[in-house]
Amino acid sequence: MYVVKSPLSDADLKTVSQALQGALVDLVDLALVAKQVHWNVVGPRFRSVHLQLDEVVDVARAHSDTVAERASALGVSPDGRAATVAAGSGIGAVQAGWVKDTDAVGSLVTALGAVITRMRERVSATGDADPVTQDIFIGITADLEKHHWMFQAENV
């Protein structure tokens, strides 16, 4: 049931809604993963990594809200429930317990890389269907790639 009527055709709406839902799931999980690592990081670079992780959390949360609101604007109900996120995320599990700072950085490089790969696929998928959504995905990808670069530079 659509409460809000989308300006997109049914075929384009299907493509865009799947891309938005997938992006929402990945961004919610990225925020959760980064926060989990943030709470458990230890080591000589604790403070800098701890603070850097919160930057990723803030970016992922802000972008997840943008994605969810874009879905709503197109008449698609966004689903950010825990079970939906757990079932659909492209991010692997992070270790439980304390995480050495170098391992924390490695975990974020991997998590960001996974989300970036899927986000770039969404950029391609939405180009013809909805350039507005594509533009949102391009901006998200740029922000995530910046953080990906910074975390990679941490462990050189």
Side-chain angles (χ1 to χ4, degrees):
M1 172 178 123
Y2 293 107
V3 175
V4 175
K5 176 68 177 136
S6 173
L8 303 178
S9 71
D10 287 345
D12 287 347
L13 183 59
K14 181 178 180 183
T15 298
V16 173
S17 65
Q18 289 173 346
L20 286 164
Q21 181 57 42
L24 178 62
V25 164
D26 282 350
L27 290 165
V28 169
D29 199 26
L30 179 61
L32 292 170
V33 164
K35 200 51 137 165
Q36 177 66 26
V37 175
H38 165 90
W39 292 324
N40 287 284
V41 65
V42 293
R45 296 180 307 161
F46 162 79
R47 181 156 174 74
S48 64
V49 173
H50 182 79
L51 295 173
Q52 192 175 2
L53 287 162
D54 261 347
E55 292 174 10
V56 172
V57 171
D58 291 345
V59 164
R61 287 179 177 167
H63 284 311
S64 66
D65 193 51
T66 299
V67 165
E69 288 179 357
R70 178 65 184 157
S72 294
L74 293 174
V76 177
S77 175
D79 187 354
R81 296 173 298 159
T84 304
V85 172
S89 176
I91 302 172
V94 294
Q95 72 182 57
W98 304 116
V99 182
K100 189 173 185 242
D101 52 7
T102 54
D103 294 337
V105 169
S107 291
L108 260 290
V109 167
T110 300
L112 284 162
V115 175
I116 288 165
T117 297
R118 289 165 54 112
M119 204 61 70
R120 283 185 163 272
E121 292 168 359
R122 294 177 186 116
V123 167
S124 295
T126 57
D128 290 333
D130 183 23
V132 175
T133 299
Q134 182 191 45
D135 186 57
I136 291 169
F137 289 152
I138 290 169
I140 293 169
T141 304
D143 283 350
L144 296 178
E145 287 178 348
K146 178 180 127 186
H147 287 285
H148 191 238
W149 153 60
M150 290 182 173
F151 273 103
Q152 288 179 77
E154 287 275 339
N155 272 354
V156 174

